[in-house]
Amino acid sequence: AASYVGFDSITRQIEHKLLKRGFQFNVMVVGQTGLGKSTLINTLFASHLIDSKGRFEPDVQPRQTTEIASQSHVIVENGVRLKLNIIDTPGYGDNVNNEGCWDPIVKYIKDQHSAYLRKELTAMRDRFIPDTRIHCCLFFINPTGHTLKPIDIVVLKKLAEVVNVVPVIAKSDSLTLEERVSFKQRVMAELQYNQIRLYPFDVDELEEEEIQFNERIRNMLPFAIVGSERSVIVDGKQVRGRKNRWGVINVEDERHCEFIYLRNFLTRTHLQDLIETTAQIHYESFRSKQLLALKE
Ligand code: GDP
Ligand code: MG
């Protein structure tokens, strides 16, 4: 038989290569100290790990994040390899004078764009450029039940200009279900009032279905989450959870919190779109500004 490589087979080979290379996905967490950022990271990904640099440690002793730190992990979701970079940031707004406390975070995001652009301008076209651009920034909101702090508005504005921002209500086990609903509405109204443009965006070429999907996500934001690095026993089964005054919270139970929605959103339904939006909207706008500045 003649050895003949058909089109199908080539397509399959390319697909195979892509799947083998997997997705590179970079997530950043931002918010005040103590809101559970480091805990959530561990809750989201610890159980999926097959290989990691920088181990996840449960919070046996107090720990504080003092600088922007990146951890790389490889997880497998539905047979797809996900190369995950998690960028943990120190809490901002902890000082008396908070002027510019967000600068290092915004700079970090821009630095990744800048590094990518430099590679793009110098690398041969077909060479693979490692992607460290932040695809999603999870913004942690203090579960006060009242409203956002003025500093949150300032930081959210700065972030939304350079990255996909997804707000979450931290430690939502401290709110009742009713409090959660009204807090969400108040937060979203305030974001809208301040014209903060959150992910997902409705760009022109979307299908009707995608627009509806985006609307569903927007109606859910901010995700009310609970994180935990410990296991508790519920109905004789070990689950990730927390014990509090009222009983046991099972982090993975959607009647208790929206952790599962957030995880599905990040690792399944919006993974690819978060990556594409970063490249097509945020990076593209950075790039055109830089190239324009070069010409002047
Ligand atoms: P970070 O400073 O934002 O990184 O906060 P940490 O992840 O270090 O958490 C600070 C403290 O809050 C720790 O004692 C956690 O166990 C606790 N914590 C984290 N997530 C939650 C949560 O969802 N609910 C409650 N009640 N406590 C939490
Ligand atoms: Mg931390």
Side-chain angles (χ1 to χ4, degrees), residues 171-219:
K171 300 185 174 182
S172 66
D173 50 319
S174 60
L175 300 172
T176 65
L177 289 181
E178 295 77 38
E179 286 169 336
R180 233 188 254 175
V181 172
S182 60
F183 188 45
K184 277 189 182 202
Q185 285 168 350
R186 226 168 295 143
V187 166
M188 289 312 269
E190 201 168 0
L191 293 177
Q192 206 159 38
Y193 176 79
N194 287 283
Q195 296 177 338
I196 292 166
R197 221 175 141 225
L198 297 178
Y199 178 86
F201 309 106
D202 278 335
V203 286
D204 293 338
E205 70 269 22
L206 288 190
E207 311 269 328
E208 185 54 34
E209 222 171 274
E210 292 172 295
I211 293 174
Q212 279 172 16
F213 198 30
N214 284 350
E215 200 49 39
R216 271 226 305 281
I217 292 295
R218 265 187 227 110
N219 289 336

Side-chain angles (χ1 to χ4, degrees), residues 173-174 242-249:
D173 50 319
S174 60
R242 310 191 74 90
K243 282 202 183 89
N244 71 12
R245 282 187 276 161
W246 300 291
V248 173
I249 310 255

